[in-house]
Structure formats: structure tokens, C-alpha cells
Amino acid sequence: RGADIQRLIQAEFGKVYQLNGIYDLLHRLGYSCLMPRPRQRKSDPEAQSALKNVVEQVEAIRAAHPDKRIEVWFEDEARFGQQGTLTRVWAKKGSRPRAVRQTQYDYLYVLGAVCPGTGQSVGLLAPHLDTTIVNHFFEQFAQELGADVHAVLIWDQAGYHTAKALKVPPNVSLIGLPP
């Protein structure tokens, strides 16, 4: 923050700058005020650098299925929903108008996979999300693949992606992303 840099400059160099001067200095040095990207607490930079091994993993899967055409797919899921809110209204000064706020929450889950190589995509809409729904998605996904195709599905490590009840079709191999 600008105020922190202002204190550091005063403590380190004995110079007093106004905040506008601090901001001008930062801009001249090539800095900009940016919103930081969120980082998951469990993220592991070392494991993330191991993503370079994905190419090797895909090649190993290709070697294990020499009679199949290998397609690399990416899968993720999202929740869409509505959460009631209140908005501003015009009213006489000094009054406090009342309005009904919708308090129930309705959601729809979307599971989707896409193959950048072919442009093909597969999706499933579901009222909730758990391992059973992921298994239904796998059934649909496996049927969408050609008979000569073996898919490599790259996805995150959500709990229902690593469950013991997961039923991975024989024409699909999984590669999990690190946290």
C-alpha cells in the first residue's frame, strides 16, 4: 500500500513524501495498483511445476493404447444460481421502505469437458453435484467418444473426482491437476 511505502521511505531515508508523491514515484518506476490473484492455501508451486510431466503422461497413455487415437480433454464444473438481493428504491427522505427479500437459494450445476484439438464439447446439467453425478457424466462422455478414441481427461482434485466410488470408463484416462 502507498501508506506503507510512505512509512518505509521516511524510516529508511528520512524523507517525507505525500501520498500523491508516492503514487507518482511508483508509476515512474513502472508499478501499477493491481488486484492480487487469489491463491489456494494448499497450493504447491513445486507440484505445479511438475505439470510439465503431463506431456510425458499423455505419451505413456498413447503407448498403452497404440490402436486408439488419443484426444486430450479438459473438464470442470460450475454452479449457477440465484441469491436474492435488495436494490435501492426511490422513497421520501427520512422514510425506510420495506421490501421482500428472496431467501431461498436455487442452483444448477454444469459439468463440461472440451477437447481443444477437435473443438468437441460435452456437458451435463444437474440439480446437485456428487460422485454419482460425475459417474453419470462419465457415462455420457464415454458414449460421445468415437470407437477409435481414448480420451485423456485433465481435471482438478475436487473431492468427488478422487472418490473411491468413481467409475472411470475404459476409454478414459485421468490426469489430476495439483492444488
Side-chain angles (χ1 to χ4, degrees):
R1 296 177 324 131
D4 297 328
I5 294 172
Q6 185 181 36
R7 278 194 304 277
L8 287 170
I9 289 176
Q10 185 173 0
E12 188 74 24
F13 303 106
K15 299 286 183 182
V16 178
Y17 277 87
Q18 296 296 321
L19 274 179
N20 286 345
I22 296 292
Y23 298 144
D24 288 342
L25 177 64
L26 289 170
H27 283 293
R28 282 197 314 265
L29 292 172
Y31 287 88
S32 181
C33 188
L34 303 174
M35 178 64 76
R37 294 173 107 178
R39 184 178 63 85
Q40 187 185 39
R41 280 182 296 111
K42 297 179 181 177
S43 68
D44 181 0
E46 194 173 305
Q48 290 172 354
S49 69
L51 278 177
K52 297 171 185 164
N53 297 337
V54 169
V55 174
E56 295 166 6
Q57 292 176 22
V58 171
E59 289 306 318
I61 293 167
R62 185 183 316 276
H65 302 280
D67 57 331
K68 301 286 184 179
R69 183 168 45 94
I70 302 298
E71 291 180 356
V72 178
W73 289 72
F74 296 88
E75 188 276 345
D76 206 0
E77 53 284 324
R79 179 178 72 182
F80 294 91
Q82 175 188 328
Q83 189 172 353
T85 61
L86 292 178
T87 186
R88 294 183 175 273
V89 296
W90 287 97
K92 286 210 172 262
K93 285 185 180 181
S95 70
R96 183 101 190 246
R98 297 182 64 82
V100 175
R101 180 178 184 164
Q102 184 180 2
T103 55
Q104 80 257 21
Y105 305 106
D106 293 320
Y107 299 110
L108 173 69
Y109 292 86
V110 178
L111 289 85
V114 65
C115 177
T118 64
Q120 190 178 3
S121 61
V122 176
L124 177 71
L125 303 176
H128 62 277
L129 189 55
D130 59 14
T131 304
T132 304
I133 296 295
V134 174
N135 285 334
H136 287 303
F137 174 77
F138 271 148
E139 291 171 16
Q140 178 183 336
F141 179 66
Q143 290 173 5
E144 295 284 332
L145 297 172
D148 65 330
V149 172
H150 186 88
V152 176
L153 188 67
I154 298 176
W155 64 352
D156 58 27
Q157 296 291 320
Y160 37 81
H161 291 176
T162 58
K164 291 180 179 157
L166 199 64
K167 298 175 186 165
V168 181
N171 59 342
V172 176
S173 294
L174 303 176
I175 296 178
L177 295 172

